[in-house]
Amino acid sequence: MSARLAGGPSKPPFPPSVSSLSFSRQTPLIKSYCFSFTYVERLPGESINDRNDRAIRKAAIYYHQLIKEKRLPVHVLLLTDDRKNLELATSDGILAFTTREYVNSIEGCPEIKDKLSLHDQPSSLDEILNEKNRVCFPEHLPLSEVQRRVKTGALLQGKFQTSRDNYLEGVVMVQSESKYDQVLVHGYRNLNRVVHEDIVAIEVLPKSQWRKPSNMIVTETEEEDELTEVIDEPTAPLMDESDLLPTGRIVGIIKRSWRMYCGVMQKSSLSESVKHIFVPSERRIPKIRIETRQAAALANQRIVVAIDAWPRSSLYPQGHIVRALGDVADKATENEVILLEHEIPHHEFSQAVLDCLPKLPWTISPEELARREDLRHVDICSVDPPGCTDIDDALHCKRLPNGNFESGVHIADVTHFVQPGLAMDKEASERGTTVYLVDRRIDMLPELLSSNLCSLRENEDRFAFSVIWEMDDDANVITTRFCKSIIRSKASLTYGQAQMMMDDAARSDALAVSLRNLNYLAKKLKLKRAENGALTLASAQVRFELDSETHDPIDVQNKELGESNYLVEEFMLLANVSVAAKIHEHFPESACLRRHPTPAPSNFDPVIKAAKSMGFDIDVSTSRLLAQSLDAADTPAMPYFNTLLRILTTRCMTQAVYFCGGTIPYAEFKHYGLAAPIYTHFTSPIRRYADVMVHRFLAAAVYHEEIYPALLDKKLIQSVCQNLNHRHRMGQYAGRASVKLHTILLFRGKEVEEEAYIMFVKKNAIQAMVPRIGLEGTVFVEDKKGRSPFVFNEEEFTLTAGDVKLRSFDRVRIRIAVDSSNQQHQKLDIKLVEPKVPGWNVDSQVPAKKLKTDSA
């Protein structure tokens, strides 16, 4: 119900004294169930919905009477999309409209009309299809029937994941009892209106219809016409049964996972049409049909759209515009798209959160100092990337009189400032993690904490949670102790500064000696982990150099890791393992831990096949044998081969996840990649909420803090862990999207040739990696009409054109530019320069060079 009201200050509409009422432009709330004038008893046989509708109508009548007595020049309007409710309201003399009727009557606000759902509005495509008695998709089974068949095992339930390479294909990750972990789905009709991450019911097809995943990279093009586009693509089953996947068709939707989607509008070719197509930024999401009367204004804007429905008669789902974000290609707008697409909370901290911060100037009280171990005399330092202001961790190492080492990891004591249950704690729990984009950081905690009071800055007293070990010369841990401490870092070093300090033989000061001791022990620790089966993997990591004023990228290079990086990594890992064992000992049912599930052997098939093509065997039966196989797979003729193989192996891994200790058996706690029987995150509480939780468990375990009920609530801890897993994953994806955005900004207006290596071979493309700048991109080997000089060998995964054969790990030369032919969808345009294929390659015109401009 809506009332358009005007007047002075408002009071609630009861008690029902007309003289006590005055009105303002707002939404009054009526507690009708405890107000005699609007109370409605549910009648025998009356549904809850019908009773509620009757109560709303009675409230509308009551309001109308009050306003009539007040003689106000306003009307009470009842808005309802329920046809029966609308008819009954009209018969009762109530001024009633549908939402669409009311919004369409508003003049001068076309953007409001764009927000209307299209689910009740027939469209031209629907009408055309219905006229031809044609439907695009099979009917979904009713939910009750789906549930019955899932219970009997006739159908499987799971989450659908659209392929990144082929929008006509995806897999259902099975969640119900089944002998299948995943089921492949291919083609429009079998996909049957599913959207990425929907929970679906799937029927497994007969084995004669099983197939392999597609070897094609297929993306929707903006030139497609939804009236002429192919509805389905019948494909013959493959005769070779090796590597066939269970294949099925989606017969029902159990739960939609729709959200708001960012993208651009593909304007209709009909100049007067209000019906257009929305093209999402996420290529795994289908196009969406929308209506707008603002096509001209939105033509070069990023917009946000919501899906309303997906009827059988429509090739695409129907939706409506939520809002416009800004101009396409504007960096601020594109950053906003990244944050929204990955569901990154990035609003300003509320006043309630800011009220939780300590007052400045902040000082250490004598009472707090008495509760902590004073380590300000110890030569402690931090080692971080350049420009780091949220310094979580610091280290020290010194010789003891007995000849052993004392090594310490000191972590910012965030929980001193972030108390459980308060607004700041709730906000940090929801955000889950700090998100790092190329040109900005989205903090989990307010800046006063993240970059100041919690940050372990040099020459400033700071609270820490310390893990201190006594270790012998072979890095065997003799004793471990945990304590809340106060430290004073002697230096905030970058990795490069720490490396130079260790390498400088002329330096013999306490910090240099401490770093060398840490490095000596770190090498021993790393060797021990390798002997236990820890994996040394690789991934493309890049660092952009940004213009100091515009923050636009002017250069990019692959990150180089040195001994100082590994030094810090080894001691952080040791601290995490030590803390995990301690908190699980005291809180076996509720401790927040982290595990890395063992990947299924089939996950490693791409690595096994790729290595075999180069004459190497990869044994994946255990992590230790896998590590040994990777170490052995090296060839002097191809110095980058082993790195590429490790990058491929990284992509075969399952994702590590947070979990509550009492939810799974101890045997499943193992962290596969680290070969650790138990693990957690303790060392980064400024930027990860999981570490905040772990600090609280550890403080209770060492009796520094009292146990509070939430620490023992297994269900609550697991719920928080699930949110943290989602936030952590989305944060990683957002970081990669930011790298992609800045790569396009960097190459815009340039043509650069680079040496690259083939990662994957597809039927119509190769995936190439450029080691110098850590870039991976797709090089298509067919034109827009599907013509190609190459022949694909599905057994060998090779492309052949005459004397040229392209295989995984081959070195090629490519030209990188940005395709700006469509301003709404700028993308990298990568062409093959070498090896030469007559009539196909682009000619080499630009010598290999650095990207930095002369002005920089």
Side-chain angles (χ1 to χ4, degrees):
M1 184 182 72
S2 175
R4 299 182 64 187
L5 309 173
S10 172
K11 295 181 181 178
F14 87 51
S17 168
V18 175
S19 61
S20 70
L21 293 178
S22 59
F23 303 93
S24 66
R25 193 177 186 85
Q26 59 180 275
T27 303
L29 300 177
I30 301 176
K31 295 182 179 179
S32 58
Y33 56 86
C34 57
F35 183 27
S36 62
F37 286 84
T38 56
Y39 179 77
V40 170
E41 186 81 37
R42 185 179 173 188
L43 302 176
E46 185 179 36
S47 70
I48 295 175
N49 184 67
D50 286 346
R51 179 263 166 207
N52 291 340
D53 285 346
R54 189 158 55 87
I56 292 171
R57 294 195 301 274
K58 188 167 184 179
I61 293 170
Y62 168 69
Y63 243 96
H64 175 73
Q65 291 171 345
L66 286 180
I67 291 171
K68 186 177 180 180
E69 291 179 23
K70 190 80 172 179
R71 298 175 184 247
L72 293 173
V74 294
H75 299 283
V76 173
L77 309 180
L78 189 151
L79 300 184
T80 176
D81 290 331
D82 185 306
R83 188 175 300 277
K84 180 181 177 182
N85 193 29
L86 184 68
E87 292 173 353
L88 290 172
T90 303
S91 66
D92 288 341
I94 302 170
L95 196 58
F97 301 95
T98 66
T99 306
R100 181 172 295 278
E101 288 172 335
Y102 178 70
V103 171
N104 284 335
S105 71
I106 301 173
E107 298 180 355
C109 298
E111 68 278 2
I112 297 180
K113 298 177 183 179
D114 291 347
K115 297 179 185 295
L116 284 170
S117 166
L118 295 184
H119 76 275
D120 60 344
Q121 179 85 350
S123 67
S124 58
L125 176 60
D126 293 336
E127 292 164 357
I128 291 170
L129 292 174
N130 288 334
E131 286 173 4
K132 295 182 178 180
N133 292 320
R134 178 186 175 193
V135 292
C136 298
F137 300 100
E139 188 172 358
H140 288 147
L141 293 176
L143 184 58
S144 58
E145 180 66 11
V146 165
Q147 292 171 335
R148 185 186 69 79
R149 294 196 193 183
V150 168
K151 190 173 182 179
T152 63
L155 299 177
L156 304 181
Q157 175 178 322
K159 178 180 284 190
F160 178 77
Q161 303 281 336
T162 306
S163 168
R164 289 185 179 274
D165 292 334
N166 186 343
Y167 76 101
L168 294 175
E169 190 172 86
V171 295
V172 173
M173 309 305 294
V174 178
Q175 299 169 335
S176 54
E177 289 289 331
S178 171
K179 59 184 177 182
Y180 308 121
D181 294 326
Q182 59 184 38
V183 178
L184 181 70
V185 188
H186 179 88
Y188 273 117
R189 290 190 182 278
N190 289 337
L191 290 170
N192 198 7
R193 294 169 285 160
V194 70
V195 176
H196 179 60
E197 294 197 332
D198 282 350
I199 305 299
V200 301
I202 187 168
E203 178 183 56
V204 179
L205 297 172
K207 196 166 185 179
S208 60
Q209 298 182 43
W210 290 9
R211 57 181 296 137
K212 293 181 181 179
S214 172
N215 289 313
M216 297 280 287
I217 294 180
V218 182
T219 57
E220 285 187 288
T221 62
E222 295 190 5
E223 290 73 24
E224 290 170 340
D225 184 337
E226 66 176 319
L227 292 180
T228 59
E229 190 174 355
V230 177
I231 297 296
D232 206 353
E233 293 183 84
T235 50
L238 299 166
M239 299 306 294
D240 182 5
E241 292 190 3
S242 63
D243 300 329
L244 292 179
L245 289 182
T247 305
R249 63 186 185 98
I250 291 169
V251 297
I253 305 294
I254 296 173
K255 182 182 179 183
R256 289 292 192 185
S257 297
W258 295 344
R259 56 177 174 82
M260 304 292 185
Y261 301 103
C262 301
V264 294
M265 184 183 67
Q266 181 181 324
K267 193 176 177 182
S268 170
S269 58
L270 302 176
S271 59
E272 300 300 321
S273 178
V274 297
K275 302 178 188 299
H276 307 278
I277 294 294
F278 169 78
V279 182
S281 298
E282 170 57 75
R283 62 186 181 186
R284 292 182 293 182
I285 303 301
K287 295 177 182 178
I288 302 169
R289 297 177 55 244
I290 57 174
E291 287 188 12
T292 179
R293 294 154 185 82
Q294 307 176 82
L298 298 174
N300 291 303
Q301 295 270 305
R302 294 284 183 200
I303 59 176
V304 180
V305 163
I307 297 177
D308 300 318
W310 195 344
R312 297 174 61 199
S313 55
S314 176
L315 185 61
Y316 299 133
Q318 300 171 341
H320 66 274
I321 297 174
V322 176
R323 63 187 173 109
L325 296 176
D327 293 337
V328 169
D330 174 74
K331 194 167 77 164
T333 299
E334 300 300 342
N335 270 336
E336 181 74 5
V337 168
I338 289 172
L339 296 173
L340 291 173
E341 275 295 299
H342 296 94
E343 305 170 59
I344 306 298
H346 57 288
H347 50 268
E348 296 293 329
F349 288 103
S350 69
Q351 189 59 48
V353 171
L354 298 178
D355 287 343
C356 297
L357 293 171
K359 306 302 179 186
L360 295 179
W362 175 75
T363 57
I364 299 172
S365 68
E367 295 79 14
E368 188 60 37
L369 182 58
R371 299 176 70 228
R372 295 176 178 269
E373 187 168 339
D374 194 341
L375 301 177
R376 286 177 289 185
H377 63 286
V378 178
D379 294 307
I380 295 171
C381 68
S382 62
V383 185
D384 292 284
C388 178
T389 60
D390 52 344
I391 304 173
D392 286 286
D393 55 88
L395 309 94
H396 87 275
C397 186
K398 64 180 182 181
R399 281 282 186 180
L400 295 173
N402 64 3
N404 287 337
F405 292 100
E406 178 189 273
S407 303
V409 165
H410 313 276
I411 306 301
D413 187 7
V414 171
T415 56
H416 174 80
F417 300 97
V418 182
Q419 295 298 310
L422 299 185
M424 185 156 55
D425 181 54
K426 293 177 181 177
E427 179 70 21
S429 173
E430 175 59 25
R431 294 191 178 213
T433 181
T434 293
V435 177
Y436 295 87
L437 305 185
V438 170
D439 60 342
R440 64 182 293 201
R441 188 180 80 201
I442 313 299
D443 285 324
M444 182 183 79
L445 295 170
E447 187 177 14
L448 178 62
L449 296 186
S450 62
S451 295
N452 188 347
L453 299 183
C454 290
S455 185
L456 305 182
R457 306 195 297 195
E458 67 180 21
N459 297 321
E460 295 193 33
D461 292 350
R462 289 291 181 262
F463 291 154
F465 211 150
S466 300
V467 185
I468 300 173
W469 305 273
E470 181 179 345
M471 307 171 77
D472 64 20
D473 270 34
D474 290 324
N476 295 311
V477 175
I478 309 301
T479 62
T480 305
R481 65 187 182 93
F482 309 90
C483 65
K484 290 276 185 125
S485 61
I486 179 170
I487 68 169
R488 189 177 181 85
S489 173
K490 302 301 186 289
S492 297
L493 304 174
T494 66
Y495 288 115
Q497 290 170 335
Q499 191 65 51
M500 287 190 293
M501 190 179 290
M502 290 189 295
D503 294 342
D504 187 352
R507 292 201 59 162
S508 58
D509 55 276
L511 279 184
V513 172
S514 177
L515 287 171
R516 292 189 191 110
N517 288 340
L518 288 166
N519 194 37
Y520 169 81
L521 292 171
K523 291 178 180 178
K524 301 272 189 178
L525 290 170
K526 187 174 184 179
L527 183 62
K528 288 177 182 291
R529 288 197 307 108
E531 290 172 349
N532 290 332
L535 299 173
T536 302
L537 301 177
S539 60
Q541 298 185 46
V542 300
R543 182 175 64 84
F544 284 89
E545 184 178 341
L546 304 179
D547 184 276
S548 59
E549 295 182 0
T550 66
H551 297 287
D552 288 336
I554 57 177
D555 197 14
V556 64
Q557 54 188 280
N558 200 22
K559 286 184 181 179
E560 298 291 337
L561 303 180
E563 287 187 348
S564 58
N565 297 83
Y566 297 119
L567 175 161
V568 174
E569 179 183 18
E570 287 303 322
F571 275 94
M572 296 306 115
L573 293 176
L574 181 61
N576 288 336
V577 170
S578 300
V579 170
K582 182 68 174 179
I583 64 174
H584 182 254
E585 175 188 349
H586 287 261
F587 301 97
E589 289 297 308
S590 60
C592 175
L593 303 170
R594 186 167 176 81
R595 69 190 185 101
H596 181 202
T598 301
S602 59
N603 284 24
F604 294 105
D605 287 350
V607 175
I608 294 172
K609 291 178 181 178
K612 199 167 190 64
S613 70
M614 300 297 295
F616 295 99
D617 292 324
I618 302 295
D619 189 339
V620 299
S621 53
T622 67
S623 63
R624 183 174 184 177
L625 291 174
L626 173 58
Q628 291 173 355
S629 298
L630 291 173
D631 290 340
D634 205 358
T635 171
M638 296 180 62
Y640 201 63
F641 166 71
N642 189 263
T643 300
L644 289 172
L645 201 62
R646 293 181 190 274
I647 291 174
L648 286 178
T649 306
T650 302
R651 296 178 184 181
C652 297
M653 294 294 162
T654 53
Q655 285 196 320
V657 292
Y658 298 109
F659 70 102
C660 174
T663 58
I664 60 173
Y666 183 80
E668 297 179 22
F669 283 20
K670 183 179 179 180
H671 195 293
Y672 176 82
L674 298 175
I678 190 169
Y679 191 69
T680 194
H681 272 164
F682 163 76
T683 55
S684 295
I686 292 178
R687 60 185 179 90
R688 290 189 307 231
Y689 188 76
D691 305 53
V692 173
M693 295 170 64
V694 168
H695 275 232
R696 290 172 179 160
F697 279 113
L698 184 61
V702 299
Y703 309 109
H704 189 91
E705 303 287 350
E706 292 184 359
I707 299 173
Y708 63 98
L711 285 182
L712 304 177
D713 190 334
K714 186 164 67 173
K715 185 176 180 180
L716 174 63
I717 298 296
Q718 184 62 16
S719 174
V720 174
C721 286
Q722 289 172 348
N723 178 62
L724 296 181
N725 289 330
H726 174 70
R727 295 298 187 198
H728 180 76
R729 185 170 60 254
M730 290 297 103
Q732 287 183 319
Y733 293 162
R736 294 170 193 170
S738 181
V739 168
K740 182 178 178 181
L741 168 64
H742 282 76
T743 301
I744 290 175
L745 294 175
L746 177 65
F747 283 103
R748 197 160 54 187
K750 303 181 179 77
E751 283 190 348
V752 179
E753 291 182 15
E754 291 285 351
E755 183 181 87
Y757 291 87
I758 297 176
M759 296 285 289
F760 301 100
V761 177
K762 298 283 188 178
K763 187 175 182 179
N764 63 337
I766 59 172
Q767 204 77 12
M769 166 70 72
V770 182
R772 190 184 74 81
I773 57 176
L775 169 70
E776 185 177 336
T778 302
V779 185
F780 285 96
V781 295
E782 65 178 21
D783 61 21
K784 292 182 178 180
K785 294 183 179 180
R787 296 172 301 193
S788 173
F790 291 93
V791 177
F792 180 63
N793 185 315
E794 192 171 353
E795 297 300 319
E796 298 180 352
F797 279 86
T798 60
L799 286 165
T800 305
D803 296 333
V804 174
K805 180 179 282 190
L806 301 178
R807 296 163 296 191
S808 293
F809 309 117
D810 279 357
R811 183 164 55 183
V812 296
R813 192 164 185 79
I814 59 176
R815 180 188 297 174
I816 308 168
V818 173
D819 180 1
S820 300
S821 59
N822 185 335
Q823 286 295 318
Q824 290 187 333
H825 268 288
Q826 297 187 43
K827 57 186 178 182
L828 286 181
D829 182 28
I830 306 177
K831 302 292 188 185
L832 186 66
V833 177
E834 294 177 358
K836 292 292 183 183
V837 177
W840 181 258
N841 303 73
V842 293
D843 294 328
S844 180
Q845 296 176 347
V846 184
K849 64 177 184 180
K850 289 188 176 180
L851 295 168
K852 191 180 294 186
T853 60
D854 294 337
S855 61

